[in-house]
Amino acid sequence: LHEMVLLRVQKRLAASVLKCGKRKIWLDPNETATIANANSRQQIVKLHQDGLIIRKPAVVHSRARALRHKEARRKGRHTGPGKRKGTANARMPTKVVWIRRQRVLRRLLRKYREAKKIDRHLYHELYMKSKGNVFKNKRVMMEFIHKRKAEQARSKLLQDQAEARRAKVKAARQRREERVRAKHEELLASFTAEDTKKKEGKKEKKQKDGKN
């Protein structure tokens, strides 16, 4: 004890030189007399170089068990009723779940709108539907989008077909009207030609009668 008291100054100097706490300094117990004679920093440095004074390594606080336990919890171990302290809402708030879901759905909608997969009208409709808790996850929303796009494509196809049918009927009607008009004009021309012929015949007859 008397010797250790004598080395108190050396330990303080060593801690200052080696930039650590006094509890981290190791003084060689076999060289107590040599260490006791050192009363300056230069001498402490020399003793440290000679290995009589050593800075102890940091105490290892292993994380192996903690990491192993964490890995097990990821798999669902150690999470039964006996391990739970708070309510279900305290452990995972429904508000946090809602915010995450909305962010996922809105991110998907933005991506689809930028990629021109949906127009701004469908975007707004789906945005309001997601806000109204219609879609419980991304998959349900994607299925809804595919279904809606298929319906739109089908209605467009039917509309195009109806338009083509109307155009075809209109063209047929125009052709028929043109045929009727041409026939009417032809008949009219033939009647006009007959009338002209009759008039000319009558004129010739009158002329012959006048000569006689």
Side-chain angles (χ1 to χ4, degrees), residues 7 11 16 28 37 45 56 84 95 105 111 124 168 179 196 211:
L7 298 180
K11 185 168 274 195
S16 179
D28 192 340
N37 289 331
V45 170
K56 291 180 188 175
R84 300 175 198 166
K95 183 175 181 179
L105 295 175
K111 191 172 82 172
H124 183 70
K168 190 178 176 183
R179 279 201 309 272
T196 308
K211 283 178 184 179

Side-chain angles (χ1 to χ4, degrees), residues 7-94:
L7 298 180
R8 188 181 292 166
V9 174
Q10 284 75 15
K11 185 168 274 195
R12 179 177 61 77
L13 286 172
S16 179
V17 169
L18 300 178
K19 294 184 172 56
C20 63
K22 284 184 281 189
R23 63 193 288 272
K24 288 290 179 188
I25 298 299
W26 179 84
L27 305 174
D28 192 340
N30 300 323
E31 301 290 341
T32 308
T34 310
I35 295 169
N37 289 331
N39 57 4
S40 70
R41 290 170 187 273
Q42 286 81 7
Q43 289 171 330
I44 294 293
V45 170
K46 179 74 170 60
L47 292 172
H48 174 61
Q49 289 170 351
D50 293 342
L52 303 182
I53 297 175
I54 297 172
R55 177 179 175 171
K56 291 180 188 175
V59 176
V60 176
H61 187 177
S62 176
R63 291 279 304 157
R65 288 186 301 280
L67 293 173
R68 195 162 62 241
H69 189 263
K70 190 178 179 183
E71 192 65 34
R73 278 177 68 87
R74 279 205 189 119
K75 293 178 181 175
R77 319 290 190 263
H78 318 295
T79 53
K83 288 287 182 182
R84 300 175 198 166
K85 289 289 184 183
T87 62
N89 195 49
R91 288 162 64 84
M92 176 46 70
T94 52

